[in-house]
Amino acid sequence: SQHLSSSLAASNRAKELVQQLLRFSRKEASELGPTSLRLLLQEAIQLVRSTLPSTIRIEAHIGNEKNVVMADSTQLHQVIMNLCINAYHAMKAKGGTLSIELKNVRLSQPKKFFGMECPPGPYAVLMVADTGTGIAPEHLDRIFEPYFTTKKPNEGTGLGLSVTFGVIKSHGGMIEVESMPGKGTAFSIYLPLI
């Protein structure tokens, strides 16, 4: 019964993903609606747990706050999966810990990063961090460029982070990254709360 409901949820997500690709190819507007980031994240974590090998430990800190944002849930699901898959690739060789955290914050000052800006106000902050290889400082300025990748052939297209950047920007949010070579990487996504 649990497997059937998981299959149904995955099928519906696949259907929405196909619709998103069709919308993208036709340049239609995203379908934005009130979205519980907590519920979306719980669903994504279930999928990630069933996909990643046991060498990757998953630590999730989600809490019980209401994290409702105006969003296209399929696009945000894609963003979460992109970040988790990137984290996995960074830890593939040696294993490690994937940390996922969701919390609400109130910015008293504007926050800026990579040409994005969040005005003061209430935000949901989603952090996806790994203990992997980290990003070399000379690559940090380029990671959101389309087709830029340091992965081996057949391991990625170099579109994941560029799509993530576009989705978050179109949702009026911001994405921040901190990384240290050999220590790991943390992506923090800020999305305005409703």
Side-chain angles (χ1 to χ4, degrees), residues 127-193:
M127 190 182 80
V128 177
D130 65 66
T131 56
T133 51
I135 301 166
E138 64 270 22
H139 293 152
L140 213 49
D141 286 350
R142 301 193 58 203
I143 59 169
F144 295 115
E145 288 177 16
Y147 305 111
F148 177 77
T149 183
T150 57
K151 291 175 186 164
K152 296 183 183 109
N154 303 322
E155 276 194 356
T157 58
L159 283 172
L161 284 177
S162 122
V163 166
T164 295
F165 182 92
V167 168
I168 297 307
K169 201 165 182 182
S170 74
H171 281 66
M174 187 188 86
I175 183 165
E176 253 184 347
V177 58
E178 289 179 67
S179 188
M180 280 185 69
K183 301 278 187 189
T185 303
F187 286 93
S188 297
I189 288 171
Y190 289 74
L191 289 167
L193 287 167

Side-chain angles (χ1 to χ4, degrees), residues 7-143:
S7 296
L8 186 62
S11 300
N12 284 332
R13 187 64 64 201
K15 182 187 90 173
E16 288 168 17
L17 196 55
V18 169
Q19 287 172 339
Q20 184 192 339
L21 288 168
L22 289 170
R23 273 202 303 274
F24 183 73
S25 64
R26 291 196 297 259
K27 295 285 186 275
E28 284 182 25
S30 300
E31 287 182 20
L32 300 181
T35 302
S36 168
L37 210 47
R38 182 164 49 94
L39 293 179
L40 192 67
L41 194 54
Q42 284 170 339
E43 184 188 315
I45 288 170
Q46 249 185 326
L47 187 56
V48 168
R49 274 192 210 281
S50 65
T51 312
L52 296 187
S54 57
T55 54
I56 310 292
R57 198 160 64 91
I58 298 173
E59 281 184 4
H61 305 281
I62 297 177
N64 291 315
E65 293 176 304
K66 283 189 177 176
N67 320 92
V68 181
V69 295
M70 192 60 83
D72 181 317
S73 61
T74 303
Q75 287 187 351
L76 281 194
H77 189 271
Q78 184 185 4
V79 160
I80 296 164
M81 294 307 291
N82 278 345
L83 292 178
C84 289
I85 288 164
N86 276 358
Y88 161 61
H89 278 289
M91 299 185 285
K92 201 173 179 179
K94 296 179 182 174
T97 302
L98 170 62
S99 303
I100 301 167
E101 187 183 328
L102 180 64
K103 62 184 179 184
N104 291 347
V105 300
R106 179 171 285 279
L107 295 180
S108 54
Q109 300 289 325
K111 203 165 176 54
K112 296 180 183 182
F113 194 81
F114 266 73
M116 291 171 280
E117 183 175 342
C118 287
Y123 290 85
V125 182
L126 166 63
M127 190 182 80
V128 177
D130 65 66
T131 56
T133 51
I135 301 166
E138 64 270 22
H139 293 152
L140 213 49
D141 286 350
R142 301 193 58 203
I143 59 169

